[in-house]
Amino acid sequence: MDKILEAVVMSSYPNNVKQGLVRRVIEAAKQPMDSEQCWSMLELSTKLYLTGDTKYKREIGKEVLEVYGHYHPEEFEEFFNVRFLLSLLQEGYGPLGKRSHYVLDYIQLGLQFVLESPSANSIFSLLRIEVLRKVCERPSPKQCAKISKLLTQHPQCIPTGKHQLLFCQQLIRCIGQFQCVSEGEEEIMEFLEQVNKVSGLLQRIWRTQTSAILPSLKELFTIISSTEEQEAPSNALASVVQFVPLELMDGVIRNLTNDDSITDVQMMMAIGRMIDWVSWPLGKNIDKWIIALLKGLAAVKKFSILIEVTLSKIEKVFSKLLYPIVREGALSVLQYMLLSFQHSHEAFHLLLPHIPRLVASLKKEDSNSATSSLEQLAELIHCMFFRFSGFPDLYEPVLEAIKALPIPNEDRIKHLLGQNAWTSQKNELACFYPRLASKSETGKIGLINLGNTCYMNSIIQSLFMASDFRHSVLNLTEGNSQPLMTKLQWLFAFLEHSQRPAISPESFLSASWPPWFTPGAQQDCSEYLKYLLDRLHEEEKTGKRIYQKLKESSLTSQAVEHHYLNKTLIEKMFGGKMMTKIRCLKCLNVSSREEAFTDLSLAFPPSDRNVCGSTSILPVEEIGPQFIEPPENAGQLMGSPWIPRKAPMASDRAAPSVSVETLGFQEQGEAANPIRGNDVGVDAAKDPLSTFGEQACAPKDSRSVPDLINYFLSPERLTAENKYHCEKCASLQDAEKVAELTEGPHYLILTLLRFSFDPRTMKRKKILDNVSIPVVLKLPILIAPEETEEVCRHGKDGAVPGSGFMTVVYDLCSVVVHSGISSESGHYYCYSRECTDTVPHGQPQDGVPKTASDKQLDFEIQWYLFNDTRVSFSSFESVSNVTSFFPKDTAYVLFYRQRPDRQSCLLHEALAEAGRLHGEPSLHKDLMEAISKDNILFLQEQEKEARNRAAYISALPKSPLWWRDLDRDKDDDSSSGGCSPAAGGGGSGSFHGLVF
């Protein structure tokens, strides 16, 4: 029968004729026959299957083998013996030079018919050894895939014990040498399928034997970190990583980055090759492993590796965004690489020439993947614009390309930059590296205390958090003839862009130091603030005078003239005006003068005077004395711009003229009447957010900020030795004096006069009274009659016809706290938040600015606590309760920001116009370079310190290598306990199992 079959197969008959004849032979084979005939047919069918030169011949051989396996199992088992299989595997089949490629397929076909035979175990044992040998010979991807298919279908043939670990390692070695030799689509798909079969076998083994995972990863890292390989290992290794359980990631990365046996060159080689894996299609979690290793290197301060790898690989990663199949992973890696590379613009600038082309390509693609990627890319680019401003010529083409895409808000940008910076990565061993402090998780930067300089640090941080002022300072151009302001600009720029957790303000301190301050001694922060603002104000005025003289000499342009004839920056930001009026009680003559101020110093009322209303929201009282009439000509600006408030007088004061309100949030158009107090009380009670007012007047015997302002603005009787010299009467007369605010500053600074001179002890003492602080403050501002009519005609909020007053709303943005009992001792720290306009760039919608009800709830705006080098998240609740918990910690200086309305709309628009993209101005080149150099220096310092520590620790006794430790039996009680998993150390192998 074998001769007949061979003659039919070799004949020249058409295939349909052959098929009929073969079918008869196969049907005959199902009948009983002798052993010799069976062997002859099995030999022929084996020959056809293994050496047939056409697919048809191999199919016939396969069909005959299956028939004999089913109908003649004893003869088939006798034929398919261990010796025959060993010969096939070791010597092959067929003539020399033309050995069959189908031996593994043949064995897989035959195994199904001997699974229950007595020789099955011997065959399995043979195959366990032979597949290991085959893998060690580095077979082609196709042969490797056949081995994987065989072992997947018959897992009994997978090597066991130590051989299994070796098999996994050698299989990874094979994958590392896979190469797709053709660029055709079909060949590439076939190659990917082969790789997936091999990596799928590894996944199957790891699922049943987890102890094989870490030795396999060790082998993988050895391959990709090798510096001796002439040819780079295959990117097919990415298929291995995708099957590693993510719960192992933290432990593997932590031990890998802390292994001092791995050199920088090896680590650089490994991470560089891993980044190349983003081009591997359909890989899962590959981007997560790449990013985890990058973060791990940042946590141990190996910044030189990160810098080198980022600069060498970022363009390649960017180019992969063109291909949808790998786009998602490549974009994730690109986002982290760019957002973490914050010390220099170099990485971002490498991509600038490629961005417009990529954006155009993604827009043309018009798919969901492309649209999503475009939005994420635009967000990333805006983050880079924000971080590295000052290159308009380079950024203009990119900005044009993404102009139609959404722009993230500033908070989102700062969040992304803050959480991804290298210096924000936490090292679990940082507690043993006290000098390797990471940047605060808040993203804010502290200031180093240079010896009782907390008074300055608190003021600087408060000014920095005044975002409008900060933007204006950062916007200053070079050569502005303001040396102190320039130093403040540099300090602000470093607070904004430095990678250090804290910076030293030594240069600014020496420049802004009041000459009468004693070095090393505690000082009054309010006194320092007044001096600083005065210096900055006078310095800019001097510059204006110089330019005025140059203008007269026709040496300046009209633009320069316009710029320098405006108010100074300090006047714009902190300057307000106050009208002081005195009425002689004999002749009723009124004298007045208007003065400028930058802060209000608020004295405490006498203890026997109760100025707090019965409700939590202060009722706005009627104007008291009606004697004062607006003067025909307001007095000119005179006297010092700093107005110290008088200390409490023994004489009684009349009823307050206008009371200050503390409110929650009113709807637009809701009355805030400075005359009809009952209306305000009712409306406020209806306000669901009126609880904000409860902070304003807490216990009956406590004070609030509105109490102190009302006391400040209330009329004062001048009698006895305080009589007023009336020019009309030409003698001293009893008089009444009142102060009224005529122009509200953009930033209202309130100083609570807590330090008073005690004549009994001849020392300054501190008033420790708790003063409740409203988060929203409504301040009465006196306006001229013609202004009142104009304002009322346009529906001005807070203005009442005939009252002469309008209400200006302020939001609390900073509180400087003094801890101690004396101005010459103690400590200062501050709570701050950034208050900004709701409408971007100060542009009101429909011509109407956002009102209180439209603004974001104040409690949703994040508060921060600045305490020298330490910066942490905080809340308004902490601000309100600090004195309750710590009686010596009292609010001292308050910063409020004016809420925009029609009157201040122009100023807000100007401020927004001054700040460029996202409100953050572009820094000039020298400043950007100085920050970049310092950031690089800091990274080098941190890396050097980390390496010195690692070198010291590496000299200590070690446990076995990390990959062995992590493979240790979980029940092994011999491991050290200092870094146990419960303690967050990750097991006995964590950092060589040291016990600290």
Side-chain angles (χ1 to χ4, degrees), residues 467-468 471-472 475 573 746 837 839-844 897 904-921:
S467 55
D468 298 329
H471 292 165
S472 298
N475 257 320
M573 292 293 162
H746 185 64
D837 299 337
V839 182
H841 305 296
Q843 296 176 357
R897 180 182 185 270
S904 60
C905 194
L906 290 177
L907 174 60
H908 284 262
E909 287 181 358
L911 293 172
E913 186 70 21
R916 296 184 186 175
L917 189 61
H918 307 298
E920 287 301 327

PDB file of all heavy atoms in Angstrom, residues 467-468 471-472 475 573 746 837 839-844 897 904-921:
ATOM      1  N   SER A 467      -0.181  87.763  42.798  1.00  0.00           N
ATOM      2  CA  SER A 467       0.166  87.393  41.427  1.00  0.00           C
ATOM      3  C   SER A 467       0.267  88.583  40.481  1.00  0.00           C
ATOM      4  O   SER A 467       1.127  88.611  39.597  1.00  0.00           O
ATOM      5  CB  SER A 467      -0.843  86.381  40.889  1.00  0.00           C
ATOM      6  OG  SER A 467      -2.157  86.876  41.009  1.00  0.00           O
ATOM      7  N   ASP A 468      -0.592  89.581  40.651  1.00  0.00           N
ATOM      8  CA  ASP A 468      -0.516  90.742  39.766  1.00  0.00           C
ATOM      9  C   ASP A 468       0.793  91.491  39.947  1.00  0.00           C
ATOM     10  O   ASP A 468       1.419  91.929  38.978  1.00  0.00           O
ATOM     11  CB  ASP A 468      -1.688  91.689  40.044  1.00  0.00           C
ATOM     12  CG  ASP A 468      -3.032  91.032  39.772  1.00  0.00           C
ATOM     13  OD1 ASP A 468      -3.081  90.174  38.883  1.00  0.00           O
ATOM     14  OD2 ASP A 468      -4.009  91.369  40.455  1.00  0.00           O
ATOM     15  N   HIS A 471       3.672  89.271  38.469  1.00  0.00           N
ATOM     16  CA  HIS A 471       3.746  89.330  37.014  1.00  0.00           C
ATOM     17  C   HIS A 471       4.365  90.649  36.544  1.00  0.00           C
ATOM     18  O   HIS A 471       5.163  90.661  35.597  1.00  0.00           O
ATOM     19  CB  HIS A 471       2.346  89.184  36.417  1.00  0.00           C
ATOM     20  CG  HIS A 471       1.754  87.831  36.616  1.00  0.00           C
ATOM     21  ND1 HIS A 471       0.424  87.572  36.427  1.00  0.00           N
ATOM     22  CD2 HIS A 471       2.309  86.660  37.007  1.00  0.00           C
ATOM     23  CE1 HIS A 471       0.193  86.298  36.679  1.00  0.00           C
ATOM     24  NE2 HIS A 471       1.319  85.725  37.041  1.00  0.00           N
ATOM     25  N   SER A 472       3.986  91.729  37.193  1.00  0.00           N
ATOM     26  CA  SER A 472       4.531  93.029  36.794  1.00  0.00           C
ATOM     27  C   SER A 472       6.035  93.102  37.043  1.00  0.00           C
ATOM     28  O   SER A 472       6.784  93.645  36.231  1.00  0.00           O
ATOM     29  CB  SER A 472       3.813  94.150  37.560  1.00  0.00           C
ATOM     30  OG  SER A 472       2.433  94.174  37.261  1.00  0.00           O
ATOM     31  N   ASN A 475       7.890  91.105  34.535  1.00  0.00           N
ATOM     32  CA  ASN A 475       7.798  91.695  33.198  1.00  0.00           C
ATOM     33  C   ASN A 475       8.793  92.809  32.959  1.00  0.00           C
ATOM     34  O   ASN A 475       8.907  93.294  31.834  1.00  0.00           O
ATOM     35  CB  ASN A 475       6.387  92.242  32.964  1.00  0.00           C
ATOM     36  CG  ASN A 475       5.566  91.325  32.074  1.00  0.00           C
ATOM     37  OD1 ASN A 475       6.076  90.781  31.109  1.00  0.00           O
ATOM     38  ND2 ASN A 475       4.302  91.137  32.422  1.00  0.00           N
ATOM     39  N   MET A 573      -0.025  99.097  42.562  1.00  0.00           N
ATOM     40  CA  MET A 573      -0.393  97.859  43.247  1.00  0.00           C
ATOM     41  C   MET A 573      -0.877  98.085  44.677  1.00  0.00           C
ATOM     42  O   MET A 573      -1.834  97.450  45.120  1.00  0.00           O
ATOM     43  CB  MET A 573       0.811  96.901  43.255  1.00  0.00           C
ATOM     44  CG  MET A 573       1.168  96.380  41.898  1.00  0.00           C
ATOM     45  SD  MET A 573      -0.136  95.299  41.288  1.00  0.00           S
ATOM     46  CE  MET A 573       0.250  95.283  39.566  1.00  0.00           C
ATOM     47  N   HIS A 746      -5.179  98.469  44.905  1.00  0.00           N
ATOM     48  CA  HIS A 746      -5.379  97.167  44.264  1.00  0.00           C
ATOM     49  C   HIS A 746      -5.129  96.052  45.271  1.00  0.00           C
ATOM     50  O   HIS A 746      -5.909  95.095  45.362  1.00  0.00           O
ATOM     51  CB  HIS A 746      -4.440  97.028  43.066  1.00  0.00           C
ATOM     52  CG  HIS A 746      -4.655  95.779  42.281  1.00  0.00           C
ATOM     53  ND1 HIS A 746      -5.829  95.522  41.609  1.00  0.00           N
ATOM     54  CD2 HIS A 746      -3.858  94.692  42.059  1.00  0.00           C
ATOM     55  CE1 HIS A 746      -5.746  94.338  41.009  1.00  0.00           C
ATOM     56  NE2 HIS A 746      -4.560  93.817  41.268  1.00  0.00           N
ATOM     57  N   ASP A 837      -8.366  86.892  38.781  1.00  0.00           N
ATOM     58  CA  ASP A 837      -9.679  87.128  38.187  1.00  0.00           C
ATOM     59  C   ASP A 837     -10.200  85.856  37.561  1.00  0.00           C
ATOM     60  O   ASP A 837      -9.441  85.056  37.016  1.00  0.00           O
ATOM     61  CB  ASP A 837      -9.583  88.216  37.113  1.00  0.00           C
ATOM     62  CG  ASP A 837      -9.102  89.538  37.706  1.00  0.00           C
ATOM     63  OD1 ASP A 837      -9.271  89.713  38.919  1.00  0.00           O
ATOM     64  OD2 ASP A 837      -8.570  90.362  36.945  1.00  0.00           O
ATOM     65  N   VAL A 839     -12.303  85.731  34.916  1.00  0.00           N
ATOM     66  CA  VAL A 839     -12.282  85.856  33.457  1.00  0.00           C
ATOM     67  C   VAL A 839     -10.842  85.952  32.993  1.00  0.00           C
ATOM     68  O   VAL A 839     -10.091  86.789  33.465  1.00  0.00           O
ATOM     69  CB  VAL A 839     -13.067  87.104  33.004  1.00  0.00           C
ATOM     70  CG1 VAL A 839     -13.089  87.189  31.494  1.00  0.00           C
ATOM     71  CG2 VAL A 839     -14.480  87.054  33.569  1.00  0.00           C
ATOM     72  N   PRO A 840     -10.387  85.084  32.068  1.00  0.00           N
ATOM     73  CA  PRO A 840      -9.008  85.120  31.622  1.00  0.00           C
ATOM     74  C   PRO A 840      -8.623  86.470  31.044  1.00  0.00           C
ATOM     75  O   PRO A 840      -9.399  87.092  30.328  1.00  0.00           O
ATOM     76  CB  PRO A 840      -8.963  84.025  30.539  1.00  0.00           C
ATOM     77  CG  PRO A 840     -10.154  83.153  30.815  1.00  0.00           C
ATOM     78  CD  PRO A 840     -11.187  84.051  31.417  1.00  0.00           C
ATOM     79  N   HIS A 841      -7.401  86.872  31.370  1.00  0.00           N
ATOM     80  CA  HIS A 841      -6.820  88.103  30.839  1.00  0.00           C
ATOM     81  C   HIS A 841      -7.634  89.343  31.193  1.00  0.00           C
ATOM     82  O   HIS A 841      -7.542  90.372  30.536  1.00  0.00           O
ATOM     83  CB  HIS A 841      -6.653  88.026  29.321  1.00  0.00           C
ATOM     84  CG  HIS A 841      -5.858  86.846  28.913  1.00  0.00           C
ATOM     85  ND1 HIS A 841      -4.546  86.665  29.250  1.00  0.00           N
ATOM     86  CD2 HIS A 841      -6.200  85.749  28.196  1.00  0.00           C
ATOM     87  CE1 HIS A 841      -4.102  85.543  28.750  1.00  0.00           C
ATOM     88  NE2 HIS A 841      -5.086  84.969  28.118  1.00  0.00           N
ATOM     89  N   GLY A 842      -8.450  89.241  32.233  1.00  0.00           N
ATOM     90  CA  GLY A 842      -9.152  90.411  32.715  1.00  0.00           C
ATOM     91  C   GLY A 842     -10.242  90.906  31.797  1.00  0.00           C
ATOM     92  O   GLY A 842     -10.696  92.021  31.928  1.00  0.00           O
ATOM     93  N   GLN A 843     -10.703  90.105  30.872  1.00  0.00           N
ATOM     94  CA  GLN A 843     -11.709  90.568  29.926  1.00  0.00           C
ATOM     95  C   GLN A 843     -13.085  90.213  30.449  1.00  0.00           C
ATOM     96  O   GLN A 843     -13.433  89.046  30.553  1.00  0.00           O
ATOM     97  CB  GLN A 843     -11.490  89.915  28.566  1.00  0.00           C
ATOM     98  CG  GLN A 843     -10.163  90.328  27.933  1.00  0.00           C
ATOM     99  CD  GLN A 843      -9.925  89.593  26.645  1.00  0.00           C
ATOM    100  OE1 GLN A 843     -10.705  88.761  26.253  1.00  0.00           O
ATOM    101  NE2 GLN A 843      -8.841  89.919  25.982  1.00  0.00           N
ATOM    102  N   PRO A 844     -13.919  91.190  30.791  1.00  0.00           N
ATOM    103  CA  PRO A 844     -15.250  90.897  31.295  1.00  0.00           C
ATOM    104  C   PRO A 844     -16.147  90.362  30.198  1.00  0.00           C
ATOM    105  O   PRO A 844     -15.984  90.696  29.040  1.00  0.00           O
ATOM    106  CB  PRO A 844     -15.745  92.259  31.796  1.00  0.00           C
ATOM    107  CG  PRO A 844     -14.957  93.248  31.020  1.00  0.00           C
ATOM    108  CD  PRO A 844     -13.630  92.621  30.709  1.00  0.00           C
ATOM    109  N   ARG A 897      -6.829  91.478  48.141  1.00  0.00           N
ATOM    110  CA  ARG A 897      -6.803  91.873  46.731  1.00  0.00           C
ATOM    111  C   ARG A 897      -8.179  92.370  46.319  1.00  0.00           C
ATOM    112  O   ARG A 897      -9.191  91.732  46.595  1.00  0.00           O
ATOM    113  CB  ARG A 897      -6.407  90.704  45.837  1.00  0.00           C
ATOM    114  CG  ARG A 897      -6.354  91.036  44.350  1.00  0.00           C
ATOM    115  CD  ARG A 897      -6.005  89.771  43.554  1.00  0.00           C
ATOM    116  NE  ARG A 897      -5.832  90.048  42.143  1.00  0.00           N
ATOM    117  CZ  ARG A 897      -6.806  90.002  41.239  1.00  0.00           C
ATOM    118  NH1 ARG A 897      -8.047  89.737  41.617  1.00  0.00           N
ATOM    119  NH2 ARG A 897      -6.557  90.242  39.967  1.00  0.00           N
ATOM    120  N   SER A 904     -12.345  99.373  38.431  1.00  0.00           N
ATOM    121  CA  SER A 904     -10.978  98.841  38.395  1.00  0.00           C
ATOM    122  C   SER A 904     -10.724  97.973  37.179  1.00  0.00           C
ATOM    123  O   SER A 904      -9.668  97.377  37.052  1.00  0.00           O
ATOM    124  CB  SER A 904     -10.718  98.009  39.656  1.00  0.00           C
ATOM    125  OG  SER A 904     -11.633  96.929  39.728  1.00  0.00           O
ATOM    126  N   CYS A 905     -11.724  97.891  36.281  1.00  0.00           N
ATOM    127  CA  CYS A 905     -11.608  96.992  35.136  1.00  0.00           C
ATOM    128  C   CYS A 905     -10.404  97.339  34.260  1.00  0.00           C
ATOM    129  O   CYS A 905      -9.694  96.471  33.798  1.00  0.00           O
ATOM    130  CB  CYS A 905     -12.883  97.029  34.315  1.00  0.00           C
ATOM    131  SG  CYS A 905     -13.011  95.683  33.120  1.00  0.00           S
ATOM    132  N   LEU A 906     -10.173  98.639  34.046  1.00  0.00           N
ATOM    133  CA  LEU A 906      -9.049  99.043  33.203  1.00  0.00           C
ATOM    134  C   LEU A 906      -7.733  98.598  33.796  1.00  0.00           C
ATOM    135  O   LEU A 906      -6.838  98.141  33.090  1.00  0.00           O
ATOM    136  CB  LEU A 906      -9.072 100.571  33.009  1.00  0.00           C
ATOM    137  CG  LEU A 906     -10.220 101.112  32.139  1.00  0.00           C
ATOM    138  CD1 LEU A 906     -10.172 102.622  32.101  1.00  0.00           C
ATOM    139  CD2 LEU A 906     -10.154 100.530  30.737  1.00  0.00           C
ATOM    140  N   LEU A 907      -7.618  98.738  35.130  1.00  0.00           N
ATOM    141  CA  LEU A 907      -6.375  98.316  35.782  1.00  0.00           C
ATOM    142  C   LEU A 907      -6.178  96.816  35.625  1.00  0.00           C
ATOM    143  O   LEU A 907      -5.085  96.349  35.296  1.00  0.00           O
ATOM    144  CB  LEU A 907      -6.408  98.694  37.271  1.00  0.00           C
ATOM    145  CG  LEU A 907      -5.226  98.173  38.114  1.00  0.00           C
ATOM    146  CD1 LEU A 907      -3.915  98.717  37.568  1.00  0.00           C
ATOM    147  CD2 LEU A 907      -5.397  98.545  39.577  1.00  0.00           C
ATOM    148  N   HIS A 908      -7.249  96.055  35.826  1.00  0.00           N
ATOM    149  CA  HIS A 908      -7.136  94.600  35.704  1.00  0.00           C
ATOM    150  C   HIS A 908      -6.791  94.195  34.278  1.00  0.00           C
ATOM    151  O   HIS A 908      -5.998  93.278  34.064  1.00  0.00           O
ATOM    152  CB  HIS A 908      -8.439  93.930  36.142  1.00  0.00           C
ATOM    153  CG  HIS A 908      -8.607  93.910  37.628  1.00  0.00           C
ATOM    154  ND1 HIS A 908      -8.299  92.807  38.394  1.00  0.00           N
ATOM    155  CD2 HIS A 908      -9.055  94.862  38.497  1.00  0.00           C
ATOM    156  CE1 HIS A 908      -8.556  93.069  39.677  1.00  0.00           C
ATOM    157  NE2 HIS A 908      -9.018  94.303  39.755  1.00  0.00           N
ATOM    158  N   GLU A 909      -7.362  94.875  33.301  1.00  0.00           N
ATOM    159  CA  GLU A 909      -7.028  94.578  31.918  1.00  0.00           C
ATOM    160  C   GLU A 909      -5.564  94.902  31.633  1.00  0.00           C
ATOM    161  O   GLU A 909      -4.871  94.157  30.945  1.00  0.00           O
ATOM    162  CB  GLU A 909      -7.933  95.376  30.975  1.00  0.00           C
ATOM    163  CG  GLU A 909      -9.365  94.852  30.933  1.00  0.00           C
ATOM    164  CD  GLU A 909     -10.220  95.642  29.970  1.00  0.00           C
ATOM    165  OE1 GLU A 909      -9.675  96.605  29.393  1.00  0.00           O
ATOM    166  OE2 GLU A 909     -11.390  95.314  29.815  1.00  0.00           O
ATOM    167  N   ALA A 910      -5.113  96.012  32.188  1.00  0.00           N
ATOM    168  CA  ALA A 910      -3.709  96.397  31.980  1.00  0.00           C
ATOM    169  C   ALA A 910      -2.777  95.382  32.612  1.00  0.00           C
ATOM    170  O   ALA A 910      -1.750  95.025  32.043  1.00  0.00           O
ATOM    171  CB  ALA A 910      -3.463  97.790  32.563  1.00  0.00           C
ATOM    172  N   LEU A 911      -3.159  94.900  33.806  1.00  0.00           N
ATOM    173  CA  LEU A 911      -2.323  93.908  34.478  1.00  0.00           C
ATOM    174  C   LEU A 911      -2.287  92.603  33.690  1.00  0.00           C
ATOM    175  O   LEU A 911      -1.243  91.965  33.565  1.00  0.00           O
ATOM    176  CB  LEU A 911      -2.848  93.645  35.896  1.00  0.00           C
ATOM    177  CG  LEU A 911      -2.729  94.816  36.874  1.00  0.00           C
ATOM    178  CD1 LEU A 911      -3.448  94.502  38.171  1.00  0.00           C
ATOM    179  CD2 LEU A 911      -1.262  95.162  37.131  1.00  0.00           C
ATOM    180  N   ALA A 912      -3.447  92.212  33.162  1.00  0.00           N
ATOM    181  CA  ALA A 912      -3.495  90.989  32.367  1.00  0.00           C
ATOM    182  C   ALA A 912      -2.705  91.145  31.080  1.00  0.00           C
ATOM    183  O   ALA A 912      -2.068  90.218  30.600  1.00  0.00           O
ATOM    184  CB  ALA A 912      -4.946  90.626  32.058  1.00  0.00           C
ATOM    185  N   GLU A 913      -2.775  92.355  30.507  1.00  0.00           N
ATOM    186  CA  GLU A 913      -2.038  92.612  29.262  1.00  0.00           C
ATOM    187  C   GLU A 913      -0.538  92.557  29.506  1.00  0.00           C
ATOM    188  O   GLU A 913       0.221  92.115  28.656  1.00  0.00           O
ATOM    189  CB  GLU A 913      -2.439  93.985  28.716  1.00  0.00           C
ATOM    190  CG  GLU A 913      -1.854  94.299  27.348  1.00  0.00           C
ATOM    191  CD  GLU A 913      -2.481  93.448  26.262  1.00  0.00           C
ATOM    192  OE1 GLU A 913      -3.597  92.935  26.476  1.00  0.00           O
ATOM    193  OE2 GLU A 913      -1.829  93.277  25.220  1.00  0.00           O
ATOM    194  N   ALA A 914      -0.149  93.000  30.720  1.00  0.00           N
ATOM    195  CA  ALA A 914       1.281  93.007  31.036  1.00  0.00           C
ATOM    196  C   ALA A 914       1.827  91.600  31.107  1.00  0.00           C
ATOM    197  O   ALA A 914       2.944  91.323  30.688  1.00  0.00           O
ATOM    198  CB  ALA A 914       1.529  93.739  32.352  1.00  0.00           C
ATOM    199  N   GLY A 915       1.030  90.665  31.680  1.00  0.00           N
ATOM    200  CA  GLY A 915       1.457  89.269  31.722  1.00  0.00           C
ATOM    201  C   GLY A 915       1.145  88.618  30.396  1.00  0.00           C
ATOM    202  O   GLY A 915       0.064  88.761  29.871  1.00  0.00           O
ATOM    203  N   ARG A 916       2.074  87.860  29.863  1.00  0.00           N
ATOM    204  CA  ARG A 916       1.856  87.273  28.537  1.00  0.00           C
ATOM    205  C   ARG A 916       1.162  85.937  28.689  1.00  0.00           C
ATOM    206  O   ARG A 916       0.194  85.823  29.424  1.00  0.00           O
ATOM    207  CB  ARG A 916       3.205  87.120  27.824  1.00  0.00           C
ATOM    208  CG  ARG A 916       3.841  88.486  27.574  1.00  0.00           C
ATOM    209  CD  ARG A 916       5.121  88.365  26.775  1.00  0.00           C
ATOM    210  NE  ARG A 916       5.773  89.664  26.667  1.00  0.00           N
ATOM    211  CZ  ARG A 916       6.941  89.849  26.108  1.00  0.00           C
ATOM    212  NH1 ARG A 916       7.603  88.847  25.602  1.00  0.00           N
ATOM    213  NH2 ARG A 916       7.474  91.053  26.059  1.00  0.00           N
ATOM    214  N   LEU A 917       1.672  84.934  28.011  1.00  0.00           N
ATOM    215  CA  LEU A 917       0.988  83.651  27.963  1.00  0.00           C
ATOM    216  C   LEU A 917       0.725  83.120  29.350  1.00  0.00           C
ATOM    217  O   LEU A 917       1.623  83.017  30.167  1.00  0.00           O
ATOM    218  CB  LEU A 917       1.854  82.650  27.184  1.00  0.00           C
ATOM    219  CG  LEU A 917       1.210  81.311  26.856  1.00  0.00           C
ATOM    220  CD1 LEU A 917      -0.024  81.521  25.994  1.00  0.00           C
ATOM    221  CD2 LEU A 917       2.211  80.414  26.180  1.00  0.00           C
ATOM    222  N   HIS A 918      -0.550  82.811  29.621  1.00  0.00           N
ATOM    223  CA  HIS A 918      -0.995  82.267  30.906  1.00  0.00           C
ATOM    224  C   HIS A 918      -0.698  83.217  32.053  1.00  0.00           C
ATOM    225  O   HIS A 918      -0.641  82.813  33.209  1.00  0.00           O
ATOM    226  CB  HIS A 918      -0.327  80.917  31.212  1.00  0.00           C
ATOM    227  CG  HIS A 918      -0.484  79.933  30.112  1.00  0.00           C
ATOM    228  ND1 HIS A 918      -1.713  79.468  29.703  1.00  0.00           N
ATOM    229  CD2 HIS A 918       0.429  79.339  29.299  1.00  0.00           C
ATOM    230  CE1 HIS A 918      -1.544  78.624  28.703  1.00  0.00           C
ATOM    231  NE2 HIS A 918      -0.270  78.536  28.441  1.00  0.00           N
ATOM    232  N   GLY A 919      -0.483  84.454  31.799  1.00  0.00           N
ATOM    233  CA  GLY A 919      -0.225  85.398  32.874  1.00  0.00           C
ATOM    234  C   GLY A 919       1.212  85.370  33.351  1.00  0.00           C
ATOM    235  O   GLY A 919       1.602  86.180  34.164  1.00  0.00           O
ATOM    236  N   GLU A 920       2.021  84.420  32.884  1.00  0.00           N
ATOM    237  CA  GLU A 920       3.410  84.367  33.306  1.00  0.00           C
ATOM    238  C   GLU A 920       4.273  85.038  32.262  1.00  0.00           C
ATOM    239  O   GLU A 920       4.270  84.648  31.097  1.00  0.00           O
ATOM    240  CB  GLU A 920       3.851  82.920  33.510  1.00  0.00           C
ATOM    241  CG  GLU A 920       3.275  82.279  34.754  1.00  0.00           C
ATOM    242  CD  GLU A 920       3.648  83.017  36.023  1.00  0.00           C
ATOM    243  OE1 GLU A 920       4.752  83.591  36.098  1.00  0.00           O
ATOM    244  OE2 GLU A 920       2.831  83.033  36.942  1.00  0.00           O
ATOM    245  N   PRO A 921       5.000  86.080  32.635  1.00  0.00           N
ATOM    246  CA  PRO A 921       5.765  86.852  31.659  1.00  0.00           C
ATOM    247  C   PRO A 921       7.004  86.121  31.166  1.00  0.00           C
ATOM    248  O   PRO A 921       7.459  85.165  31.774  1.00  0.00           O
ATOM    249  CB  PRO A 921       6.158  88.106  32.455  1.00  0.00           C
ATOM    250  CG  PRO A 921       6.184  87.645  33.881  1.00  0.00           C
ATOM    251  CD  PRO A 921       5.104  86.609  34.002  1.00  0.00           C
TER     252      PRO A 921
END
